Amino acid sequence: MTTIGVLALQGAVREHARAIEKCGAKALEVKSADDLQKIDGLILPGGESTTMRRLIDTYDMMKPLKRFISVDKPVFGTCAGLILLARKIEGSDDNHIGMMDIVVQRNSYGRQVNSFETSLEIKDVADDFPGVFIRAPHIVSVEEDVEILCEHDGRIVMARQGCMLGCAFHPELTDDSRVMAYFAKMVRASILARIKR
Ligand code: GLN
């Protein structure tokens, strides 16, 4: 059985777990480096990236997280999770996990539209996905080997680089499991690739 973990230090954990199980995988709340050994793929949820970073350091998880990604295990960052993955955060000299070749801007939607929902066209996923944005970041630019999967209003809001997937919105807050199904497929493919090796 495929097991997908959700980093459970802070943020929208339970909603992701529900979406994972809807896709036929087992969900595990990841609270320590040891938990990373038990999963085939990992979700970095939405929440507050600076708080999550502090907790990652407190629980000594930064190196184990980087190791998990460097052996090509799939990881999916949503909203704050996307910020954790980014190589560069605009206006900051610090990054967090920093392994995805993208530049992100935090809180890039102005005050009136702090939160909104809009229909998104996502490559290989859906023509009409309900995108829920909450104090969302967006991807300002991507390097060559990053594939842009979705743009909204001229801004990149979802992209993939190898085993890393990231989006600025919250698929777990809708009943639509197509984005999660896409990630679960990435995870299953990576298990198969590992067996063949
Ligand atoms: N604004 C948050 C941050 O910068 C992200 C918001 C979210 O995850 N919903 O970390």
Side-chain angles (χ1 to χ4, degrees):
M1 177 131 186
T2 308
T3 305
I4 298 179
V6 187
L7 187 68
L9 303 178
Q10 193 242 359
V13 176
R14 207 169 314 143
E15 294 83 354
H16 273 300
R18 208 171 303 132
I20 289 166
E21 304 210 317
K22 224 169 133 188
C23 291
K26 182 174 179 299
L28 186 89
E29 292 195 4
V30 171
K31 293 184 171 147
S32 69
D34 279 351
D35 290 337
L36 292 173
Q37 311 288 332
K38 305 172 193 158
I39 59 172
D40 306 301
L42 175 68
I43 291 174
L44 305 170
E48 194 60 40
S49 52
T50 48
T51 307
M52 255 190 270
R53 164 63 189 275
R54 195 155 14 87
L55 294 168
I56 287 172
D57 289 341
T58 304
Y59 292 94
D60 275 333
M61 288 186 76
M62 187 52 94
K63 258 200 196 148
L65 282 170
K66 288 185 178 175
R67 208 176 308 127
F68 185 90
I69 299 170
S70 66
V71 298
D72 272 347
K73 293 209 175 150
V75 61
F76 180 19
T78 60
C79 205
L82 171 74
I83 298 167
L84 292 180
L85 283 176
R87 177 91 60 207
K88 169 125 187 75
I89 300 160
E90 234 182 42
S92 164
D93 291 331
D94 196 17
N95 63 10
H96 305 306
I97 295 172
M99 289 175 74
M100 192 168 177
D101 292 322
I102 58 175
V103 179
V104 295
Q105 183 186 80
R106 295 178 66 195
N107 302 321
S108 36
Y109 297 87
R111 196 179 272 167
Q112 289 96 323
V113 284
N114 251 338
S115 302
F116 61 97
E117 185 171 333
T118 187
S119 175
L120 300 172
E121 194 180 324
I122 305 175
K123 184 172 181 277
D124 300 334
V125 177
D127 293 335
D128 54 353
F129 191 84
V132 177
F133 291 77
I134 303 171
R135 301 204 318 116
H138 84 282
I139 301 171
V140 177
S141 63
V142 304
E143 295 288 315
E144 224 166 74
D145 51 352
V146 177
E147 186 184 14
I148 295 169
L149 296 179
C150 180
E151 286 182 72
H152 168 68
D153 260 356
R155 289 173 159 172
I156 305 166
V157 294
M158 184 167 178
R160 174 176 177 176
Q161 181 178 21
C163 70
M164 289 176 281
L165 181 68
C167 71
F169 48 94
H170 287 265
E172 78 286 3
L173 298 183
T174 71
D175 285 334
D176 193 322
S177 44
R178 287 176 289 177
V179 166
M180 185 61 79
Y182 178 88
F183 180 63
K185 209 166 130 192
M186 278 172 64
V187 176
R188 291 192 180 106
S190 93
I191 295 173
L192 284 180
R194 213 161 308 124
I195 292 170
K196 277 190 203 143
R197 234 180 266 150

